[in-house]
Amino acid sequence: MPIRHVTPEDALTRMRAGALLIDVRGDHERALGMADGARGIDREALESDPGALLPDLDAEILLLCQRGQRSQQCALVLETRGYGNIASVVGGTEAWDAAGLPMQRADIDADFGERYSRHLRLPEVGLAGQKRLQATRMLLVGAGGLGSPAALYLAAAGVGTMRIVDDDVVDLSNLQRQILHTNARIGMPKVDSAAIAISALNPRTAIEAVNERITADNVERILDGMDVVIDGGDNFPVRYLLNDACVKLRKPLVYGAVHRFEGQISVFDAGRQRGVAPCYRCLFPEPPPPEAAPNCSEAGVLGVLPGVIGMLQATEAIKLVLGIGEPLRGRLLQFDALAMRFRETRLAADPACPVCAPDCTLLGYVDYAAFCAGA
Ligand SMILES: [Zn+2]
């Protein structure tokens, strides 16, 4: 028997006369708005055990989805399960809304709904996840090669607040990879140039530009209130300092580094998972001798390489905020651009780590410049 169809107007009249209007879309879709008076039941849940959710086989049931396809398929399934008075609403919630019928709407503005629509369609992000991104405060240390793609993608994704720390100015030799900056902004502080680029992309992201070098004296002030820390720096003293501060202050650190044609990334979460997740010092207890670890200005770097690594860092940062997927915690991902290969190494927490071992308390920050100079 063909499924009966009703118009949204008819559905409203019948619902007011006692029919059940069921919105069979997913939670993340209903969160954005649904027909007023409809009851939300996931299609999968309904089809797997309709008797538990709708015990009366003779009740008049009207099914509603986004555009009318899923509700029709669901109606067919329910009919085979013995429901005798079932109909699908033609055109779904979109037609209901277009007809001006009463809606329960999410408390978001039109810009938010449209800008993040592709996130809102993902059940793993959805309205709840997007609001979490909006409420997130991320620290980006370095507005350079790694920081550029990370900042742009994190702002585009809807991170609400980004504190960007860098004490450098834009130089012509930066523009080969540091895509936050432009020719016209050479000589400008990088944090100001970054703020211009980010605001142009997403004015919803609040930028806190900190034109300072991060040091043992200011690191705790700079990390204060931040949910996730992204290391986009290019030097060992800052890397060790950030690691130690993140362990002490219990903040996740998204690490990235590049060298010529190779890069690596990991998530160090020892601050929140002492003795379980490793920190940077578990991996590299001692910095390499300075002559073995030249920075980009000395060794050169393929311009796209920090783009790849910085975007992987942004991906991990977003996953940490949303609590989805498998974070790169306890894993080091290495990338070789010439071979175009990724290699993954498992990392364990070092029970003798001087910073993150469970029984260890960080008393203070060392002189990181001297530490890394081998002094
Ligand atoms: Zn450690």
Side-chain angles (χ1 to χ4, degrees):
M1 198 172 78
I3 288 299
R4 202 156 55 85
H5 291 95
V6 294
T7 64
E9 289 86 350
D10 274 349
L12 179 63
T13 307
R14 286 162 186 268
M15 179 181 72
R16 286 178 173 162
L20 283 171
L21 180 64
I22 310 285
D23 186 334
V24 298
R25 296 176 301 159
D27 288 344
H28 68 292
E29 293 172 285
R30 291 197 304 270
L32 295 171
M34 62 190 280
D36 197 22
R39 181 177 154 199
I41 304 178
D42 258 68
R43 182 184 164 190
E44 285 90 76
L46 186 56
E47 291 181 359
S48 68
D49 192 5
L53 295 156
L54 303 172
D56 183 358
L57 291 174
D58 298 321
E60 182 176 10
I61 297 168
L62 312 169
L63 301 180
L64 182 71
C65 64
Q66 184 69 18
R67 296 201 182 93
Q69 278 93 24
R70 282 177 281 171
S71 57
Q72 184 182 327
Q73 289 156 6
C74 185
L76 283 166
V77 172
L78 292 195
E79 209 175 44
T80 64
R81 306 288 288 268
Y83 289 84
N85 190 0
I86 200 149
S88 168
V89 180
V90 179
T93 304
E94 285 185 8
W96 177 287
D97 194 13
L101 305 184
M103 289 281 293
Q104 255 177 49
R105 290 186 199 283
D107 57 340
I108 54 171
D109 59 71
D111 178 277
F112 187 99
E114 188 72 21
R115 181 182 295 275
Y116 303 127
S117 62
R118 301 306 188 269
H119 267 172
L120 298 172
R121 284 177 202 181
L122 293 172
E124 294 81 358
V125 184
L127 184 59
Q130 196 63 49
K131 285 187 167 178
R132 210 172 303 143
L133 285 169
Q134 170 105 347
T136 289
R137 299 168 57 81
M138 277 195 194
L139 175 65
L140 185 58
V141 178
L146 295 169
S148 283
L152 287 169
Y153 269 95
L154 290 169
V159 169
T161 303
M162 294 194 13
R163 184 177 290 170
I164 304 178
V165 189
D166 199 308
D167 72 333
D168 207 359
V169 297
V170 179
D171 183 84
L172 178 58
S173 67
N174 298 151
L175 301 183
Q176 163 250 23
R177 63 203 177 283
Q178 301 183 15
I179 58 168
L180 274 172
H181 313 301
T182 66
N183 222 50
R185 300 203 287 266
I186 289 171
M188 185 184 283
K190 283 188 179 176
V191 288
D192 295 340
S193 171
I196 292 170
I198 292 167
S199 308
L201 177 60
N202 189 353
R204 302 186 80 102
T205 297
I207 311 290
E208 298 177 5
V210 182
N211 191 359
E212 290 178 47
R213 177 175 293 268
I214 196 161
T215 66
D217 293 329
N218 65 15
V219 67
E220 294 202 357
R221 168 168 59 80
I222 287 172
L223 261 66
D224 186 46
M226 297 291 110
D227 301 306
V228 178
V229 178
I230 298 172
D231 179 6
D234 184 27
N235 72 77
F236 284 94
V238 167
R239 198 165 287 156
Y240 280 93
L241 172 63
L242 276 182
N243 179 72
D244 295 0
C246 284
V247 171
K248 182 182 172 194
L249 303 175
R250 304 163 61 86
K251 295 184 191 290
L253 173 64
V254 184
Y255 155 73
V258 290
H259 178 67
R260 294 166 62 91
F261 297 97
E262 291 172 21
Q264 52 183 230
I265 99 154
S266 190
V267 170
F268 295 116
D269 213 353
R272 300 190 300 180
Q273 300 191 357
R274 289 291 277 263
V276 179
C279 81
Y280 182 72
R281 281 181 189 258
C282 298
L283 176 62
F284 298 113
E286 299 285 330
E291 62 277 11
N295 62 22
C296 291
S297 62
E298 293 153 357
V301 64
L302 188 69
V304 295
L305 180 69
V308 173
I309 302 298
M311 277 199 280
L312 293 174
Q313 288 180 281
T315 309
E316 286 305 300
I318 287 173
K319 283 166 55 190
L320 285 171
V321 172
L322 297 176
I324 58 173
E326 191 188 340
L328 205 53
R329 195 183 275 146
R331 295 185 285 149
L332 180 71
L333 187 65
Q334 290 166 294
F335 172 58
D336 179 341
L338 290 181
M340 196 47 78
R341 277 202 186 94
F342 285 92
R343 192 160 53 100
E344 187 181 310
T345 316
R346 289 268 158 194
L347 303 175
D350 177 0
C353 175
V355 170
C356 79
D359 56 351
C360 157
T361 310
L362 186 70
L363 297 173
Y365 302 106
V366 300
D367 180 341
Y368 292 88
F371 174 59
C372 292

PDB file of all heavy atoms in Angstrom, residues 106-114 204:
ATOM      1  N   ALA A 106      16.757  27.095  17.383  1.00  0.00           N
ATOM      2  CA  ALA A 106      17.951  27.162  18.232  1.00  0.00           C
ATOM      3  C   ALA A 106      18.285  28.625  18.486  1.00  0.00           C
ATOM      4  O   ALA A 106      17.970  29.491  17.678  1.00  0.00           O
ATOM      5  CB  ALA A 106      19.114  26.474  17.528  1.00  0.00           C
ATOM      6  N   ASP A 107      18.939  28.880  19.622  1.00  0.00           N
ATOM      7  CA  ASP A 107      19.270  30.264  19.963  1.00  0.00           C
ATOM      8  C   ASP A 107      20.591  30.672  19.317  1.00  0.00           C
ATOM      9  O   ASP A 107      21.563  30.990  19.978  1.00  0.00           O
ATOM     10  CB  ASP A 107      19.346  30.431  21.482  1.00  0.00           C
ATOM     11  CG  ASP A 107      20.352  29.469  22.103  1.00  0.00           C
ATOM     12  OD1 ASP A 107      20.685  28.462  21.430  1.00  0.00           O
ATOM     13  OD2 ASP A 107      20.809  29.710  23.228  1.00  0.00           O
ATOM     14  N   ILE A 108      20.602  30.626  17.983  1.00  0.00           N
ATOM     15  CA  ILE A 108      21.810  31.057  17.261  1.00  0.00           C
ATOM     16  C   ILE A 108      21.385  32.090  16.232  1.00  0.00           C
ATOM     17  O   ILE A 108      20.241  32.101  15.788  1.00  0.00           O
ATOM     18  CB  ILE A 108      22.516  29.874  16.554  1.00  0.00           C
ATOM     19  CG1 ILE A 108      21.547  29.120  15.639  1.00  0.00           C
ATOM     20  CG2 ILE A 108      23.152  28.945  17.570  1.00  0.00           C
ATOM     21  CD1 ILE A 108      22.213  28.085  14.767  1.00  0.00           C
ATOM     22  N   ASP A 109      22.342  32.953  15.848  1.00  0.00           N
ATOM     23  CA  ASP A 109      22.008  33.952  14.842  1.00  0.00           C
ATOM     24  C   ASP A 109      22.242  33.378  13.444  1.00  0.00           C
ATOM     25  O   ASP A 109      22.818  32.301  13.281  1.00  0.00           O
ATOM     26  CB  ASP A 109      22.810  35.239  15.078  1.00  0.00           C
ATOM     27  CG  ASP A 109      24.302  34.977  15.041  1.00  0.00           C
ATOM     28  OD1 ASP A 109      24.822  34.720  13.943  1.00  0.00           O
ATOM     29  OD2 ASP A 109      24.952  35.023  16.111  1.00  0.00           O
ATOM     30  N   ALA A 110      21.771  34.123  12.452  1.00  0.00           N
ATOM     31  CA  ALA A 110      21.824  33.624  11.069  1.00  0.00           C
ATOM     32  C   ALA A 110      23.269  33.433  10.604  1.00  0.00           C
ATOM     33  O   ALA A 110      23.569  32.470   9.894  1.00  0.00           O
ATOM     34  CB  ALA A 110      21.094  34.595  10.150  1.00  0.00           C
ATOM     35  N   ASP A 111      24.159  34.326  10.993  1.00  0.00           N
ATOM     36  CA  ASP A 111      25.569  34.218  10.592  1.00  0.00           C
ATOM     37  C   ASP A 111      26.168  32.926  11.137  1.00  0.00           C
ATOM     38  O   ASP A 111      26.856  32.186  10.428  1.00  0.00           O
ATOM     39  CB  ASP A 111      26.349  35.430  11.120  1.00  0.00           C
ATOM     40  CG  ASP A 111      27.837  35.367  10.794  1.00  0.00           C
ATOM     41  OD1 ASP A 111      28.589  34.690  11.540  1.00  0.00           O
ATOM     42  OD2 ASP A 111      28.254  35.990   9.806  1.00  0.00           O
ATOM     43  N   PHE A 112      25.891  32.621  12.391  1.00  0.00           N
ATOM     44  CA  PHE A 112      26.409  31.399  13.016  1.00  0.00           C
ATOM     45  C   PHE A 112      25.889  30.169  12.269  1.00  0.00           C
ATOM     46  O   PHE A 112      26.655  29.267  11.913  1.00  0.00           O
ATOM     47  CB  PHE A 112      25.963  31.381  14.488  1.00  0.00           C
ATOM     48  CG  PHE A 112      26.541  30.271  15.323  1.00  0.00           C
ATOM     49  CD1 PHE A 112      27.629  30.495  16.159  1.00  0.00           C
ATOM     50  CD2 PHE A 112      25.967  29.003  15.313  1.00  0.00           C
ATOM     51  CE1 PHE A 112      28.149  29.470  16.941  1.00  0.00           C
ATOM     52  CE2 PHE A 112      26.482  27.979  16.096  1.00  0.00           C
ATOM     53  CZ  PHE A 112      27.572  28.218  16.909  1.00  0.00           C
ATOM     54  N   GLY A 113      24.591  30.146  12.013  1.00  0.00           N
ATOM     55  CA  GLY A 113      23.968  28.993  11.358  1.00  0.00           C
ATOM     56  C   GLY A 113      24.517  28.755   9.961  1.00  0.00           C
ATOM     57  O   GLY A 113      24.753  27.620   9.550  1.00  0.00           O
ATOM     58  N   GLU A 114      24.732  29.849   9.221  1.00  0.00           N
ATOM     59  CA  GLU A 114      25.185  29.733   7.836  1.00  0.00           C
ATOM     60  C   GLU A 114      26.696  29.462   7.777  1.00  0.00           C
ATOM     61  O   GLU A 114      27.159  28.577   7.061  1.00  0.00           O
ATOM     62  CB  GLU A 114      24.856  31.064   7.136  1.00  0.00           C
ATOM     63  CG  GLU A 114      25.085  31.059   5.650  1.00  0.00           C
ATOM     64  CD  GLU A 114      24.046  30.240   4.909  1.00  0.00           C
ATOM     65  OE1 GLU A 114      22.959  30.010   5.475  1.00  0.00           O
ATOM     66  OE2 GLU A 114      24.353  29.824   3.778  1.00  0.00           O
ATOM     67  N   ARG A 204      34.039  36.734  14.082  1.00  0.00           N
ATOM     68  CA  ARG A 204      33.504  36.213  15.352  1.00  0.00           C
ATOM     69  C   ARG A 204      34.617  35.785  16.303  1.00  0.00           C
ATOM     70  O   ARG A 204      34.364  35.606  17.483  1.00  0.00           O
ATOM     71  CB  ARG A 204      32.608  34.994  15.098  1.00  0.00           C
ATOM     72  CG  ARG A 204      31.439  35.235  14.180  1.00  0.00           C
ATOM     73  CD  ARG A 204      30.556  33.993  14.127  1.00  0.00           C
ATOM     74  NE  ARG A 204      29.689  33.932  15.290  1.00  0.00           N
ATOM     75  CZ  ARG A 204      28.403  34.254  15.289  1.00  0.00           C
ATOM     76  NH1 ARG A 204      27.812  34.631  14.177  1.00  0.00           N
ATOM     77  NH2 ARG A 204      27.693  34.181  16.399  1.00  0.00           N
TER      78      ARG A 204
END
